[in-house]
């Protein structure tokens, strides 16, 4: 970011000088590119020196850290069947009690370094692979030749030094270029890096692959460490949100989750406390932009108000989402809709919203989620707790209260443009919408602003009707971006 600011300021200054001296545009461009090349070279030299110093640090004796047991996903003792609203049985509208308001931090890598030419440090040979339906090509470089004779500190440090001398700049540049081109989030980039490593490292070289992946994550800017457990090296990766079902180590700057051979008995890992200096970003699962995957889609038909509506989604996106660790519910509700799903939902729903005010539009979307999607709790469908991204609600035959709340929240925000929060109870998840007009019914106050309850799992319930079981319970308010 500092380099970008410097370059921008230099561009403006040179532009002023160009006007004053009559310098040609070609001369100016040549000078700017020469300056940019010098600045980039200086940055690479700085990073190389950091890697050399870090390799010396890694050669020192590592220390033992406690490995904590996985946190299970919060289980909701949901009913086998969705409750149905019975008109005329309502209590008077009331303000529901609120426990706390929770917003998630999203520390994602928004600004990516400029890719460098593949010719720098890259051999002519390249790897071609298919990444969730997209043909991908990356150059090979000498870093894939690392080998470990043991997994002690000195061997890891030697491999780190070898990787830093490869050089890796062009390879990192290609990864970031692919991230930008396909709008990959942090997790999807990690998957791409792992898939590339799988092609170059034989199954017997899992330890070498671990050092390679952690090194590359650090070069890109992500917080990650190498851990040693018995005869195996593992990746320790920092995330900004909780991950469920994965062992982790609590370092001072956050939880680092263990990726590698998983053993229920693991209690210790040997690693190091110092972070790689330039790596400041937590690897996020947030989907801030729709992925650019292959254009192939599948269709699914729903019945709503006795009419058929067809939606589309990418099967490759479903496959990618299957790889995601379970995380906090807001991540799913905040994630960007894919282009195919959004366009098909617009085609199915927007004509029905024409001429309706905000309250009526919210009511129609609420009815759509309540009636078009079949209900079944996660334990009956999967045998474990599972949260859905919106496209997964379109794909799987059933959805439960969390999934329906995420879907409804996305529809209201996309097609009506209103703020929505999730109401998180011990045994249920619902939503509340900030309606600009007065709508009677149950509501919650958040920072002195009234949000009207809308429950996508309370079949047939209109806007402003909360389940009786929820009226006296405190809900955590999960705020959405």
């Amino acid at each position: 970011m500092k380099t970008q600011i410097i370059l921008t300021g230099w561009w403006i200054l040179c532009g002023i000088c160009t006007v004053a001296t009559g310098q040609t545009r070609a001369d100016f461009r040549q000078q700017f590119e020469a300056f940019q090349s010098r600045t980039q070279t200086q940055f690479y030299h700085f990073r190389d020196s950091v890697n050399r110093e870090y390799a010396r640090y890694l050669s020192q004796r590592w220390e033992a850290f406690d490995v904590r047991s996985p946190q299970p996903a919060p289980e909701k003792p949901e009913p086998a069947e969705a409750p149905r609203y019975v008109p005329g049985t309502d209590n008077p509208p009331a303000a529901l009690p609120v426990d706390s308001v929770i917003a998630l931090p999203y520390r994602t890598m928004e600004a990516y370094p400029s890719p460098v030419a593949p010719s720098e440090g890259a051999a002519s040979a390249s790897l071609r692979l298919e990444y969730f339906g997209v043909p991908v090509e990356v150059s090979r470089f000498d870093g894939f030749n690392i080998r470990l004779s043991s997994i002690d500190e000195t061997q890891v440090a030697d491999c780190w030094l070898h990787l830093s001398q490869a050089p890796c700049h062009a390879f990192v540049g290609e990864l970031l270029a692919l991230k930008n081109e396909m709008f990959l989030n942090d997790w999807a980039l990690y998957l791409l890096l792992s898939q590339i490593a799988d092609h170059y490292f034989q199954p017997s070289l899992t330890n070498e692959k671990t050092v390679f992946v952690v090194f590359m994550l650090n070069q890109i800017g992500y917080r990650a460490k190498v851990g040693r457990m018995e005869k195996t090296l593992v990746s320790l990766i920092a995330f900004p949100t909780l991950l469920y079902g994965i062992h982790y180590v609590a370092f001072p700057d956050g939880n680092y989750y263990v990726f590698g051979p998983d053993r229920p008995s693991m209690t210790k890992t040997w690693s190091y406390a110092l972070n790689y200096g330039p790596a400041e970003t937590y690897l996020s699962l947030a989907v801030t932009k729709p992925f650019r995957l292959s254009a192939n889609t599948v269709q699914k038909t729903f019945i709503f108000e006795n009419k058929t509506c067809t939606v589309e989604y990418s099967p490759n996106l479903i496959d990618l989402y299957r790889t995601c660790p379970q995380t906090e519910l807001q991540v799913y509700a905040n994630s960007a809709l894919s282009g195919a799903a959004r366009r098909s939902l617009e085609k199915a729903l927007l004509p029905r919203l024409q001429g309706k005010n905000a309250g009526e539009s919210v009511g129609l979307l609420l009815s759509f989620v309540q009636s078009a999607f079949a209900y079944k709790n996660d334990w009956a469908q999967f045998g474990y707790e599972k949260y859905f991204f919106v496209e997964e609600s379109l794909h799987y035959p059933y959805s439960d209260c969390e999934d329906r709340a995420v879907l409804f929240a996305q529809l209201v925000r996309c097609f009506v443009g209103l703020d929505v929060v999730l109401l998180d109870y011990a045994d249920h998840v619902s939503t509340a919408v900030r309606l600009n007009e007065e709508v009677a019914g149950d509501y919650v106050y958040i920072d002195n602003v009234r949000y009207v309850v809308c429950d996508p799992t309370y079949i047939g319930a209109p806007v402003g009707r909360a389940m009786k079981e929820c009226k006296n319970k405190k809900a955590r308010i999960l705020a959405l971006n």
Side-chain angles (χ1 to χ4, degrees):
M1 183 61 69
K2 290 181 181 178
T3 301
Q4 292 174 344
I5 294 171
I6 292 171
L7 291 178
T8 302
W10 192 86
W11 179 288
I12 295 171
L13 179 61
C14 287
I16 295 171
C17 294
T18 300
V19 174
T21 63
Q23 183 181 23
T24 67
R25 185 179 297 274
D27 291 339
F28 168 64
R29 167 55 65 182
Q30 186 176 16
Q31 289 183 14
F32 174 75
E33 289 178 349
F35 173 80
Q36 188 179 39
S37 176
R38 289 196 303 273
T39 304
Q40 197 171 57
T41 300
Q42 291 170 1
F43 170 73
Y44 292 152
H45 288 162
F46 165 74
R47 186 163 63 182
D48 290 343
S49 67
V50 170
N51 279 317
R52 286 194 297 272
E53 289 299 320
Y54 204 63
R56 278 196 283 270
Y57 168 76
L58 293 179
S59 66
Q60 301 171 19
R61 183 174 178 83
W62 294 0
E63 55 186 305
F65 293 89
D66 291 333
V67 176
R68 303 192 179 186
S69 297
Q71 299 185 49
E75 294 182 16
K76 307 289 184 185
E78 298 166 324
E81 296 183 3
R84 293 187 173 272
Y85 171 73
V86 179
T89 61
D90 305 312
N91 292 327
L96 305 187
V98 172
D99 182 18
S100 57
V101 179
I102 300 173
L104 286 181
Y106 282 113
R107 290 168 284 189
T108 60
M109 186 175 291
E110 296 295 342
Y112 313 130
S114 300
V116 297
S119 58
E120 183 188 338
S124 58
S126 61
L127 167 68
R128 293 177 177 85
L129 54 87
E130 184 174 286
Y131 179 80
F132 296 102
V134 179
V136 169
E137 182 174 353
V138 291
S139 301
R140 180 188 177 94
F141 78 109
D142 291 340
F144 295 117
N145 298 328
I146 61 172
R147 293 294 182 269
L148 291 162
S149 59
S150 70
I151 58 172
D152 65 18
E153 294 89 337
T154 58
Q155 281 291 301
V156 172
D158 287 347
C159 280
W160 195 280
L161 189 60
H162 177 79
L163 285 167
S164 67
Q165 294 171 345
C168 64
H169 312 313
F171 181 77
V172 171
E174 290 183 14
L175 284 178
L176 292 172
L178 289 169
K179 185 181 197 297
N180 290 338
E181 290 169 10
M182 293 191 284
F183 291 168
L184 303 181
N185 70 347
D186 298 342
W187 174 256
L189 179 63
Y190 166 71
L191 289 180
L192 176 59
L193 174 61
S194 296
Q195 188 173 341
I196 292 169
D198 284 338
H199 278 77
Y200 282 121
F201 293 98
Q202 300 173 8
S204 61
L205 300 176
T206 56
N207 294 323
E208 286 83 352
K209 175 189 170 184
T210 295
V211 177
F212 173 81
V213 168
V214 170
F215 176 86
M216 286 302 167
L217 288 176
N218 280 173
Q219 304 312 300
I220 295 169
Y222 294 114
R223 296 189 178 194
K225 303 174 190 284
V226 178
R228 183 175 66 239
M229 294 183 178
E230 298 176 0
K231 298 180 180 180
T232 303
L233 296 181
V234 295
S235 302
L236 307 176
I237 304 175
F239 287 75
T241 56
L242 293 176
L243 301 190
Y244 302 122
I246 300 178
H247 287 85
Y248 66 98
V249 178
F251 285 95
D253 58 320
N255 294 338
Y256 282 63
Y257 289 86
V258 180
F259 289 86
D262 192 20
R263 295 179 299 276
S265 61
M266 64 172 67
T267 58
K268 296 282 185 182
T269 186
W270 275 257
S271 189
Y272 41 92
L274 184 66
N275 290 331
Y276 180 76
E280 299 180 348
T281 303
Y282 293 77
L283 197 143
S284 174
L285 294 168
V287 183
T288 58
K289 295 179 180 179
F291 297 127
R292 286 178 174 170
L293 301 180
S294 65
N296 67 305
T297 60
V298 296
Q299 294 184 341
K300 191 169 181 179
T301 299
F302 296 91
I303 304 298
F304 175 51
E305 295 180 342
N306 298 319
K307 294 182 180 179
T308 298
C309 59
T310 301
V311 297
E312 295 184 12
Y313 60 88
S314 166
N316 290 298
L317 181 60
I318 300 299
D319 290 339
L320 194 158
Y321 281 154
R322 283 195 185 103
T323 71
C324 291
Q326 291 283 351
T327 188
E328 299 177 59
L329 188 59
Q330 289 141 294
V331 172
Y332 302 84
N334 276 319
S335 292
L337 277 174
S338 65
R342 180 160 187 155
R343 286 189 297 270
S344 63
L345 286 166
E346 285 177 347
K347 185 176 180 180
L349 297 172
L350 286 186
R352 305 188 190 206
L353 298 178
Q354 293 295 322
K356 290 181 169 55
N357 61 32
E360 293 168 339
S361 296
V362 169
L364 184 137
L365 296 177
L366 181 62
S367 177
F368 172 67
V369 178
Q370 288 172 348
S371 60
F373 295 82
Y375 172 88
K376 185 177 286 189
N377 65 45
D378 287 333
W379 285 91
Q381 183 171 195
F382 300 108
Y384 59 92
E385 192 71 32
K386 177 177 172 60
Y387 295 159
F388 283 174
F389 291 94
V390 167
E391 289 79 5
E392 292 180 294
S393 286
L394 304 181
H395 170 74
Y396 290 105
Y398 306 102
S399 56
D400 65 0
C401 65
E402 299 99 338
D403 313 320
R404 299 157 86 91
V406 166
L407 173 59
F408 174 72
Q410 285 274 28
L411 294 178
V412 171
R413 296 166 79 199
C414 288
F415 301 148
V416 190
L418 297 178
D419 290 339
V420 186
V421 297
L422 305 183
L423 306 181
D424 185 27
Y425 298 94
D427 56 356
H428 184 54
V429 176
S430 183
T431 71
V433 180
R434 182 177 179 176
L435 284 161
N436 297 323
E437 57 203 71
E438 284 298 322
V439 175
D442 300 315
Y443 57 93
V444 294
Y445 269 117
I446 306 171
D447 295 331
N448 297 319
V449 176
R450 185 173 179 267
Y451 285 71
V452 179
V453 173
C454 299
D455 196 328
T457 310
Y458 197 11
I459 309 302
V463 171
R465 297 293 183 271
M467 292 184 189
K468 293 180 181 179
E469 296 82 358
C470 296
K471 290 201 173 186
N472 296 319
K473 297 177 181 177
K474 287 187 176 181
R476 292 194 315 159
I477 305 299
L478 305 184
L480 305 182
N481 294 344

